[in-house]
Amino acid sequence: MDCVRVVVWNEYVEEKRDAKVAAVYPRGIHTVIADYLKAQPRFQVSTATLDEPEHGLSDGILNGTDVLVWWGHAAHDEVSDVVVERIYRRIILEGMGLIVLHSGHFSKVFKRLMGTTCGLKWREAGEKERLWVVAPGHPIAEGVGESFELEHTEMYGEPFDIPPPDKLVFISWFQGGEVFRSGCCFYRGSGKVFYFSPGHETLPIYYDANVLRVIANAVSWAKPMKLSAPDTEGVSYALWETQPLKDVTVKRSLLLGRVIS
Amino acid sequence: MDCVRVVVWNEYVEEKRDAKVAAVYPRGIHTVIADYLKAQPRFQVSTATLDEPEHGLSDGILNGTDVLVWWGHAAHDEVSDVVVERIYRRIILEGMGLIVLHSGHFSKVFKRLMGTTCGLKWREAGEKERLWVVAPGHPIAEGVGESFELEHTEMYGEPFDIPPPDKLVFISWFQGGEVFRSGCCFYRGSGKVFYFSPGHETLPIYYDANVLRVIANAVSWAKPMKLSAPDTEGVSYALWETQPLKDVTVKRSLLLGRVIS
Amino acid sequence: MDCVRVVVWNEYVEEKRDAKVAAVYPRGIHTVIADYLKAQPRFQVSTATLDEPEHGLSDGILNGTDVLVWWGHAAHDEVSDVVVERIYRRIILEGMGLIVLHSGHFSKVFKRLMGTTCGLKWREAGEKERLWVVAPGHPIAEGVGESFELEHTEMYGEPFDIPPPDKLVFISWFQGGEVFRSGCCFYRGSGKVFYFSPGHETLPIYYDANVLRVIANAVSWAKPMKLSAPDTEGVSYALWETQPLKDVTVKRSLLLGRVIS
Amino acid sequence: MDCVRVVVWNEYVEEKRDAKVAAVYPRGIHTVIADYLKAQPRFQVSTATLDEPEHGLSDGILNGTDVLVWWGHAAHDEVSDVVVERIYRRIILEGMGLIVLHSGHFSKVFKRLMGTTCGLKWREAGEKERLWVVAPGHPIAEGVGESFELEHTEMYGEPFDIPPPDKLVFISWFQGGEVFRSGCCFYRGSGKVFYFSPGHETLPIYYDANVLRVIANAVSWAKPMKLSAPDTEGVSYALWETQPLKDVTVKRSLLLGRVIS
């Protein structure tokens, strides 16, 4: 079976304590996204939240996850370092995909993967955003045309302190005068990461057909690759291993420290 | 149906006039590659060659082609400029994928797409080549482990005069002292291009399981994206069109030429 | 002496036939840019125009040029293919830098170097443009702060059909709803190319302090590198040469064509 | 004055405790590199080591440093987290350059900046390495020809777990069958980072003319940019600031939470 196994993670904090958020996402942002993905046979979808044991991301669950979708905003610091390390290693060493949404730019795992501050400008004014596709052949941009609009959005603006994306898919225009690299692909270790900036807890961004389509496209793009040939014993891809190749025939008689004497 | 429609193109010249080539590829290089791809239900495969009318690449055929695989060596100059332009436009404007093999680095269409000389070093000595994966999460590298070897190969070496690849997937090591960027992805217009250097007309490179797997992976990667949302009227993606957006309300009363007076 | 030898080239057509253009650039766009560069001791500056013999770009002149700045708009087709080829080879093979301004996106040499159509959206409405720096450490962005504005500008918008830039320095915001990759670095052969979109023949863009600063920064960035060590005999960097290395000891006895028998 | 202020940092541990290391670098690796740089008027050079107070990298010293060259091998864990954070912030927020040598791939600051494990293969066999230039126009490759050799070297091989370099300058070939991305540029925040893999504590790599030339080239390339225009009040580039632009006139009356009601 070739289903991509997706876990949609949400800190699920603001929906429970803030009526304005609950009005938009009564069952949580994760549920809206997961419901959309579940409707497509290519995905096998579950959800997880901060207050579950191990945030719902035990070793067992992560080992069965191909792509993790991440929403966090108010509770980044409450995410356990142990779980972050587990996610990180699953991405880098085993190729799990990661889709980071909106305010997840300041999540522990995204900052860890980027190595930069991930700072940005922002403004809550309900202004218009237009996302332009600058990589028309890229699978994450499939089906959305050359641009699409969000009528009311939170502004995220440059400078965005990320490494230059390995592939820039969307650039956003904002009514107030800013631009933003709003859809960015990163290759890290054996894994793939996509950052997608649209989203807000009190704006219905995650009901937008184009936003949902991009998230689904990104999940398909980010799925892990099988690293070894299925008909061999399986090359184990271990980054820390440094074994000499079998056919190396170098001057081992030449002892280090003597070559310059 | 989601089959990728592939055409494997071969100039098919040397196999017919040179016994040494025919000994390795009696029915042509294209047939060997096409046979491999045909065995996989995800592809719908046909072939085309130089001496067919329009080189087997009429408008009708190209319009029904998702990905074109290209082998050429001795007869680059005999390929019609009209057909080259047709292929080029189908890639750039409509997103057809292109897989360029080995000596295809000097084909008209590849040089046109790259904009550089595409020059390289080469040596025919039957030496060993080892291809290292430097993008472990990339779908084109799926299933080949961290490296694989070709026991006897023609050397293609740096400097290779191409634009910096948008994604570098393989770097080759050669026994004689060279390296080569042997697997390179390029995004051009709406299309995707993959250059893959292994191959030779008198060496059985295209029978190698890993080489064939990479070509099949590349075909899947290079398939066109649907640019517009299927449930809308269809955004026409025309690169030369420059129509104002419907909601633009700029100072049209401000006549050009007067703004500085 | 380490002066960068710059030639500012202008087709110099519209300034001579159109009063509105002449009102803004009475001695031509090239003169305004050249005057700015001449005021800096790090540059040695001259100009050349379309109606000079060989467009002012003879072999002798090009061989003494480190960086060529290019303005063209109405007369792209009148530029001789011989001169274009000469410029092209000087860039690719010898490392001359090229700065392409505004409507030069459709010049022969830029299209040749890019390999794409270089199409884009455009609109003449005198609207506001804001250029955002997305590569703050890059020398081309030095001294302009995190963004700067042009009060009245021609819109150039995405999709811009170029290869993904090797380094994206500026993204422009336009009042009317578009974005544009307005400052793009490309490495091609031994040369460096910078495309910078601001500019217009009837708007005083080339009097703007930030625009001029960026052009000067780009000239410094694009200067050629000395490819070989000055204290050696000089490695000749010829892309078409393919000589075996001195210490290669491969199985030359292994005749091609026999390895599979 | 436009001198680049360089600090060459060395943990300076093995040279003091191991006679084989001291035989090659009696006054420390840092001294050899610093002496070379000091001979060039474009640099103002000092050194710092692990056992100095604050590792010789106090706030005062770092604030006066344009580019930091880093050698570490046996004592990565002894580098204070406080100093690492200070270096990190000086790079990201203020644009200091960083040149990381050889075993510095596992230094705290490099791993922090990359966000990956920075793992690699290695082998100490004194084999031959040949470094190929794959970015002939890049200033870091200036003057070394199309390739250069190190007769006896430690092998560092792929897979090298780094983000795809923003610019790949060198690829190394090793006698034993590996390749390595041996010269890699990264843009991070306002700063620039260059990783250069040649080097060893008991091999005289840092006396090699080409290796030293590349390090000097890299120092010049990595120097900080002045971010704001010198003739303005100075735009403060603070990544965490998110102030609205002065001319923003968006629908502030539109209260969040109401837009969907």
Side-chain angles (χ1 to χ4, degrees):
Chain A
M1 192 187 62
D2 273 302
C3 258
V4 180
R5 300 164 301 173
V6 193
V7 172
V8 183
W9 192 90
N10 180 6
E11 57 178 39
Y12 200 25
V13 168
E14 293 169 305
E15 294 95 329
K16 291 186 289 189
R17 74 179 180 206
D18 186 334
K20 280 189 296 190
V21 181
V24 187
Y25 298 105
R27 292 187 301 141
I29 283 173
H30 55 301
T31 310
V32 175
I33 296 170
D35 283 353
Y36 176 81
L37 298 175
K38 278 176 187 168
Q40 308 191 31
R42 60 180 160 150
F43 302 126
Q44 179 183 316
V45 186
S46 60
T47 63
T49 58
L50 181 69
D51 59 5
E52 295 176 39
E54 304 183 66
H55 311 325
L57 298 172
S58 66
D59 263 326
I61 285 171
L62 275 181
N63 288 343
T65 302
D66 293 321
V67 180
L68 180 63
V69 179
W70 193 270
W71 167 272
H73 178 225
H76 291 319
D77 288 344
E78 294 171 40
V79 178
S80 145
D81 288 341
V82 171
V83 172
V84 169
E85 182 68 15
R86 193 184 287 162
I87 297 168
Y88 175 83
R89 292 178 66 85
R90 175 99 176 113
I91 295 167
I92 293 282
L93 300 176
E94 296 168 5
M96 185 178 74
L98 179 71
I99 314 300
V100 176
L101 299 173
H102 191 62
S103 46
H105 73 96
F106 266 161
S107 63
K108 285 180 177 178
V109 70
F110 187 66
K111 288 195 293 185
R112 171 81 187 278
L113 283 160
M114 295 296 104
T116 51
T117 68
C118 300
L120 49 75
K121 288 193 191 307
W122 57 274
R123 177 177 58 242
E124 290 189 312
E127 68 201 278
K128 180 181 286 193
E129 175 177 5
R130 181 179 287 138
L131 291 99
W132 286 94
V133 174
V134 293
H138 199 280
I140 292 183
E142 182 156 30
V144 299
E146 67 179 28
S147 73
F148 66 93
E149 285 189 10
L150 298 169
E151 201 55 34
H152 302 294
T153 201
E154 179 181 12
M155 188 281 293
Y156 268 21
E158 298 285 342
F160 183 21
D161 182 27
I162 47 169
D166 299 318
K167 188 70 192 167
L168 179 61
V169 181
F170 296 106
I171 297 176
S172 281
W173 172 97
F174 290 93
Q175 196 176 346
E178 287 85 2
V179 297
F180 196 64
R181 289 170 290 174
S182 47
C184 300
C185 298
F186 302 94
Y187 282 76
R188 291 299 183 267
S190 298
K192 293 188 280 294
V193 178
F194 183 65
Y195 175 75
F196 189 47
S197 63
H200 195 260
E201 65 278 9
T202 61
L203 291 167
I205 305 292
Y206 295 119
Y207 295 97
D208 182 87
N210 285 309
V211 167
L212 287 167
R213 181 189 300 271
V214 168
I215 293 173
N217 287 346
V219 169
S220 289
W221 169 82
K223 67 170 188 257
M225 295 298 111
K226 293 173 199 74
L227 294 166
S228 54
D231 50 350
T232 69
E233 69 180 285
V235 177
S236 82
Y237 181 77
L239 293 165
W240 52 80
E241 282 185 6
T242 57
Q243 311 231 350
L245 293 166
K246 289 178 194 91
D247 65 345
V248 170
T249 54
V250 287
K251 309 156 198 174
R252 286 207 166 275
S253 62
L254 187 151
L255 294 181
L256 293 176
R258 289 194 190 165
V259 298
I260 60 155
S261 61
Chain B
M1 191 186 64
D2 273 301
C3 257
V4 180
R5 299 165 299 172
V6 193
V7 172
V8 183
W9 192 90
N10 180 5
E11 58 178 39
Y12 200 26
V13 168
E14 293 169 305
E15 294 97 326
K16 291 186 288 189
R17 74 180 179 204
D18 185 334
K20 279 189 298 190
V21 180
V24 188
Y25 298 105
R27 292 187 302 142
I29 283 174
H30 56 301
T31 310
V32 175
I33 295 170
D35 283 352
Y36 176 81
L37 297 175
K38 278 175 186 168
Q40 308 191 31
R42 60 180 159 151
F43 302 126
Q44 179 184 316
V45 186
S46 60
T47 63
T49 57
L50 182 68
D51 58 5
E52 296 175 40
E54 304 183 67
H55 311 324
L57 299 172
S58 66
D59 264 326
I61 285 172
L62 274 182
N63 288 342
T65 302
D66 293 320
V67 180
L68 180 62
V69 179
W70 193 270
W71 167 271
H73 180 223
H76 292 318
D77 288 345
E78 295 171 40
V79 179
S80 143
D81 288 341
V82 171
V83 172
V84 169
E85 183 68 16
R86 194 183 288 162
I87 297 168
Y88 175 82
R89 293 177 66 85
R90 173 99 177 114
I91 295 167
I92 293 281
L93 300 177
E94 296 169 5
M96 185 179 72
L98 178 70
I99 314 300
V100 176
L101 299 174
H102 190 63
S103 46
H105 73 97
F106 266 162
S107 62
K108 286 180 177 178
V109 70
F110 188 65
K111 288 195 292 184
R112 170 82 188 276
L113 285 160
M114 295 295 104
T116 52
T117 68
C118 301
L120 48 75
K121 289 193 190 308
W122 58 274
R123 179 176 56 241
E124 290 189 313
E127 68 203 278
K128 180 181 286 193
E129 174 178 6
R130 182 179 286 137
L131 291 99
W132 287 94
V133 175
V134 294
H138 199 280
I140 292 183
E142 182 156 31
V144 299
E146 67 180 28
S147 74
F148 66 93
E149 286 188 7
L150 297 169
E151 202 55 34
H152 302 295
T153 201
E154 180 182 10
M155 188 282 294
Y156 268 20
E158 300 284 343
F160 184 22
D161 183 28
I162 47 169
D166 299 319
K167 188 70 191 168
L168 179 60
V169 180
F170 296 106
I171 297 176
S172 280
W173 171 98
F174 290 93
Q175 196 176 344
E178 287 85 1
V179 297
F180 196 64
R181 289 169 291 173
S182 47
C184 300
C185 299
F186 302 93
Y187 281 77
R188 291 299 182 271
S190 297
K192 294 188 282 294
V193 178
F194 183 65
Y195 175 75
F196 189 47
S197 63
H200 195 259
E201 65 280 7
T202 62
L203 291 167
I205 304 294
Y206 295 119
Y207 295 98
D208 182 86
N210 285 308
V211 168
L212 287 167
R213 182 188 299 272
V214 169
I215 293 172
N217 288 345
V219 169
S220 289
W221 169 82
K223 68 170 186 256
M225 295 298 112
K226 294 172 199 76
L227 294 167
S228 53
D231 49 351
T232 70
E233 71 180 282
V235 177
S236 82
Y237 182 76
L239 293 165
W240 52 80
E241 281 184 9
T242 56
Q243 311 230 350
L245 293 167
K246 290 181 193 89
D247 65 346
V248 171
T249 54
V250 287
K251 311 156 199 175
R252 286 208 166 273
S253 62
L254 187 151
L255 293 180
L256 292 177
R258 292 193 190 166
V259 298
I260 60 156
S261 60
Chain C
M1 192 186 62
D2 274 301
C3 257
V4 180
R5 298 165 301 172
V6 193
V7 172
V8 182
W9 192 90
N10 180 5
E11 57 178 39
Y12 199 27
V13 168
E14 293 169 305
E15 295 96 328
K16 290 186 289 190
R17 73 180 180 204
D18 185 335
K20 279 189 297 190
V21 181
V24 188
Y25 298 105
R27 292 187 302 140
I29 283 174
H30 55 302
T31 310
V32 175
I33 295 170
D35 283 353
Y36 176 81
L37 297 175
K38 278 176 185 168
Q40 307 192 31
R42 60 180 159 150
F43 302 126
Q44 180 184 315
V45 185
S46 60
T47 62
T49 57
L50 182 68
D51 59 4
E52 296 176 39
E54 304 182 66
H55 310 325
L57 298 172
S58 66
D59 264 325
I61 284 170
L62 274 182
N63 288 342
T65 301
D66 293 320
V67 180
L68 180 62
V69 179
W70 193 270
W71 168 271
H73 179 223
H76 292 318
D77 288 344
E78 295 171 40
V79 179
S80 143
D81 288 341
V82 171
V83 172
V84 169
E85 182 67 16
R86 193 183 288 162
I87 297 168
Y88 175 82
R89 293 178 66 85
R90 173 100 177 113
I91 295 167
I92 293 282
L93 300 177
E94 295 169 6
M96 185 177 73
L98 178 71
I99 313 300
V100 176
L101 299 174
H102 190 63
S103 45
H105 73 96
F106 265 162
S107 62
K108 285 181 178 178
V109 70
F110 188 65
K111 288 195 293 184
R112 171 81 188 276
L113 284 160
M114 295 296 104
T116 51
T117 67
C118 301
L120 48 76
K121 288 192 190 309
W122 58 274
R123 178 176 58 241
E124 291 190 312
E127 68 204 279
K128 180 181 285 193
E129 175 178 5
R130 181 180 285 138
L131 291 99
W132 287 94
V133 175
V134 294
H138 199 279
I140 292 183
E142 182 156 31
V144 299
E146 67 180 28
S147 73
F148 66 92
E149 286 186 9
L150 297 169
E151 203 55 34
H152 301 295
T153 201
E154 180 182 11
M155 187 282 292
Y156 269 20
E158 299 285 343
F160 183 21
D161 182 28
I162 47 168
D166 300 318
K167 188 71 193 167
L168 179 61
V169 180
F170 296 105
I171 297 176
S172 280
W173 171 98
F174 290 92
Q175 196 176 344
E178 287 84 2
V179 297
F180 196 65
R181 288 169 292 173
S182 48
C184 300
C185 299
F186 301 94
Y187 282 76
R188 289 301 182 270
S190 297
K192 293 187 283 292
V193 178
F194 183 65
Y195 175 75
F196 190 47
S197 63
H200 195 258
E201 65 280 8
T202 61
L203 291 167
I205 305 293
Y206 294 119
Y207 295 98
D208 182 86
N210 285 309
V211 168
L212 287 167
R213 182 190 299 275
V214 168
I215 293 173
N217 287 346
V219 169
S220 289
W221 169 82
K223 69 170 187 255
M225 295 298 113
K226 294 172 198 76
L227 294 167
S228 53
D231 50 351
T232 70
E233 71 179 282
V235 177
S236 84
Y237 183 76
L239 293 166
W240 51 81
E241 282 185 8
T242 56
Q243 311 228 348
L245 293 167
K246 290 179 193 92
D247 65 346
V248 171
T249 53
V250 286
K251 309 156 198 175
R252 286 206 166 274
S253 62
L254 187 151
L255 293 181
L256 294 176
R258 291 193 189 166
V259 298
I260 59 154
S261 59
Chain D
M1 191 186 62
D2 273 302
C3 257
V4 180
R5 299 165 301 173
V6 192
V7 172
V8 183
W9 191 89
N10 180 5
E11 56 178 40
Y12 199 26
V13 167
E14 293 169 305
E15 295 97 326
K16 291 186 287 190
R17 74 182 179 202
D18 185 333
K20 280 190 296 191
V21 181
V24 188
Y25 298 105
R27 293 187 302 141
I29 282 173
H30 55 302
T31 309
V32 175
I33 295 169
D35 283 353
Y36 175 80
L37 297 176
K38 278 176 186 169
Q40 308 191 31
R42 60 180 160 151
F43 302 126
Q44 179 183 315
V45 185
S46 60
T47 62
T49 57
L50 182 68
D51 61 3
E52 295 176 40
E54 304 183 67
H55 312 324
L57 298 172
S58 66
D59 264 326
I61 285 171
L62 274 182
N63 288 342
T65 301
D66 292 320
V67 180
L68 180 62
V69 179
W70 192 270
W71 167 272
H73 179 224
H76 291 318
D77 288 345
E78 295 171 39
V79 178
S80 146
D81 288 341
V82 171
V83 172
V84 169
E85 182 68 17
R86 193 184 286 161
I87 297 169
Y88 176 82
R89 293 177 66 84
R90 173 99 177 113
I91 295 167
I92 293 282
L93 300 177
E94 295 169 5
M96 185 178 73
L98 178 71
I99 314 300
V100 176
L101 300 174
H102 190 63
S103 46
H105 73 96
F106 266 161
S107 63
K108 286 180 177 177
V109 70
F110 187 66
K111 288 195 292 185
R112 172 79 187 278
L113 284 160
M114 294 297 103
T116 51
T117 67
C118 301
L120 48 75
K121 288 193 191 306
W122 58 274
R123 177 177 59 241
E124 291 189 311
E127 69 202 277
K128 179 181 287 192
E129 175 177 5
R130 181 180 287 138
L131 290 99
W132 287 95
V133 175
V134 293
H138 199 280
I140 292 183
E142 181 156 30
V144 299
E146 67 179 28
S147 74
F148 66 93
E149 285 189 10
L150 297 169
E151 202 54 36
H152 301 295
T153 200
E154 180 182 12
M155 187 281 293
Y156 269 20
E158 299 286 342
F160 183 21
D161 183 28
I162 47 169
D166 299 318
K167 187 72 193 166
L168 179 60
V169 181
F170 297 106
I171 297 176
S172 281
W173 172 97
F174 290 93
Q175 196 175 347
E178 287 85 2
V179 297
F180 196 66
R181 289 169 291 173
S182 48
C184 300
C185 299
F186 302 94
Y187 281 76
R188 290 299 182 270
S190 298
K192 292 188 282 294
V193 178
F194 183 64
Y195 175 76
F196 190 47
S197 63
H200 196 259
E201 64 279 6
T202 62
L203 291 168
I205 305 293
Y206 294 119
Y207 294 98
D208 182 87
N210 285 310
V211 168
L212 288 167
R213 181 188 300 272
V214 169
I215 294 173
N217 287 347
V219 168
S220 289
W221 169 82
K223 67 170 187 257
M225 295 298 112
K226 292 173 200 76
L227 294 167
S228 53
D231 50 350
T232 70
E233 69 179 282
V235 177
S236 85
Y237 182 76
L239 293 166
W240 52 80
E241 283 185 7
T242 57
Q243 311 231 350
L245 293 167
K246 289 180 194 90
D247 66 345
V248 170
T249 54
V250 286
K251 310 157 198 175
R252 287 208 166 275
S253 63
L254 187 151
L255 293 182
L256 295 176
R258 291 195 189 164
V259 298
I260 60 156
S261 61

